[in-house]
Amino acid sequence: MHFMIFIVLINFFDLSSVYPNPFNSNFVIGLYTNNLEKFKVDLVSSMGRIILLKTVIPSSSETLTLPMNMDKTYALGAYLARIRGNNNSITKKIILL
């Protein structure tokens, strides 16, 4: 089962929505960017440890979908989804069930 988390990137970061939240192990982060600079998407545990990290280099202004998988090796609970790049950062609390 896949879920979508939508985030909009327009030369700065703007969080549009996170849906659904909470989620199960597989989900997709949906991004739109008109900025062609690379950025990082990571998931951070409640202890501050980066547990998943993806570097994204957009090829054009486009909508991107990034599949993420938090399998059974990850504890249930709260995590932070963080998008960083272009001297900006946004963070959203997400919950793994």
Side-chain angles (χ1 to χ4, degrees):
M1 178 177 273
H2 291 278
F3 299 103
M4 295 290 293
I5 297 175
F6 289 98
I7 299 171
V8 177
L9 305 173
I10 307 174
N11 289 331
F12 61 90
F13 299 120
D14 181 27
L15 182 63
S16 63
S17 69
V18 176
Y19 182 81
N21 191 12
F23 63 95
N24 276 325
S25 61
N26 294 313
F27 64 98
V28 175
I29 296 177
L31 302 165
Y32 173 76
T33 181
N34 67 352
N35 184 351
L36 300 181
E37 295 181 26
K38 75 178 179 181
F39 58 91
K40 294 183 189 250
V41 177
D42 53 26
L43 296 179
V44 181
S45 73
S46 60
M47 302 299 289
R49 194 180 98 209
I50 295 175
I51 58 167
L52 290 173
L53 174 66
K54 290 192 179 203
T55 299
V56 179
I57 303 172
S59 59
S60 64
S61 296
E62 62 187 332
T63 299
L64 306 169
T65 55
L66 306 170
M68 306 293 274
N69 182 0
M70 294 180 69
D71 59 25
K72 304 235 185 271
T73 61
Y74 298 104
L76 303 180
Y79 292 86
L80 298 175
R82 184 171 59 183
I83 314 292
R84 297 177 293 143
N86 196 26
N87 297 319
N88 292 298
S89 175
I90 58 171
T91 303
K92 179 68 178 177
K93 181 179 170 184
I94 57 175
I95 299 173
L96 172 63
L97 293 179

